[in-house]
Amino acid sequence: KFGVEDDPLSHVYLANAITLAHSAIEELELEVRGKPPKESGVWNEKSKNDLERRLRSAGVNVDEGQIWTIRGGSTRVAKEHTPPIQQKTDWTAGIVRDREVALIEALWSAKTIRNSITTHRFNKKSRSLTVYDAHNVQSLARRLILEKFGFWRDD
């Protein structure tokens, strides 16, 4: 189990990892755009349609969910930036609260983590980052890169 670190330098490393992973998503032009694209849990249809169109054009299966890893105690980041559950994973039990989430919801969470926690002045949420937060955004970026270039899955 990797919990919240006390070392401020660890928070900097995690924030950097998240920011760089989100930059990869932006380089692919598969980031959530618009301000704000989602309000009160409801997507702005124009933003949602634009995102789904760009994902499909890149060869990404928008209907396939994304695994979002949540382990250990609940952190500020997990409480405020975990995408809505699509379904629990088969291995979800106890402190392992992993879930499958909609791809566009994972992209929304990655953007909000990057915007509100990792790229501007550090705050209480920044001190709550864990390796799982970095893993989630990095896994999302990895999936999009692999899927765009035809190496994700051979269905």
Side-chain angles (χ1 to χ4, degrees):
K1 170 185 151 188
F2 298 97
V4 175
E5 301 257 349
D6 290 331
D7 182 6
L9 190 55
S10 293
H11 303 146
V12 173
Y13 290 148
L14 292 170
N16 190 43
I18 290 166
T19 301
L20 291 171
H22 195 273
S23 291
I25 294 168
E26 289 177 320
E27 284 298 317
L28 295 171
E29 298 183 1
L30 299 176
E31 77 281 6
V32 176
R33 294 180 182 163
K35 201 175 157 185
K38 184 179 180 183
E39 296 177 19
S40 305
V42 178
W43 276 87
N44 170 302
E45 283 301 312
K46 184 177 178 183
S47 295
K48 180 182 176 187
N49 292 339
D50 172 63
L51 176 58
E52 288 179 341
R53 180 192 55 74
R54 286 183 287 114
L55 289 164
R56 284 188 180 98
S57 293
V60 175
N61 181 355
V62 297
D63 298 321
E64 182 178 342
Q66 176 73 22
I67 300 298
W68 202 260
T69 304
I70 309 165
R71 309 276 170 98
S74 191
T75 66
R76 288 179 186 103
V77 177
K79 286 177 188 173
E80 295 182 35
H81 299 282
T82 296
I85 189 168
Q86 189 169 340
Q87 68 182 46
K88 291 180 180 179
T89 61
D90 294 340
W91 58 88
T92 295
I95 63 168
V96 176
R97 299 182 316 279
D98 300 354
R99 56 184 63 185
E100 184 175 335
V101 300
L103 177 61
I104 63 170
E105 294 292 345
L107 284 162
W108 170 255
S109 290
K111 176 182 178 163
T112 60
I113 291 169
R114 194 278 314 260
N115 284 357
S116 66
I117 301 174
T118 70
T119 57
H120 301 293
R121 188 169 154 222
F122 274 24
N123 54 40
K124 286 182 182 180
K125 289 187 213 173
S126 306
R127 294 188 299 270
S128 181
L129 290 169
T130 68
V131 295
Y132 301 113
D133 301 312
H135 166 78
N136 286 326
V137 182
Q138 289 174 333
S139 294
L140 180 58
R142 182 180 307 111
R143 175 211 172 151
L144 295 173
I145 290 166
L146 291 171
E147 201 161 359
K148 179 171 179 158
F149 293 104
F151 296 108
W152 179 241
R153 293 222 164 78
D154 189 22
D155 295 326

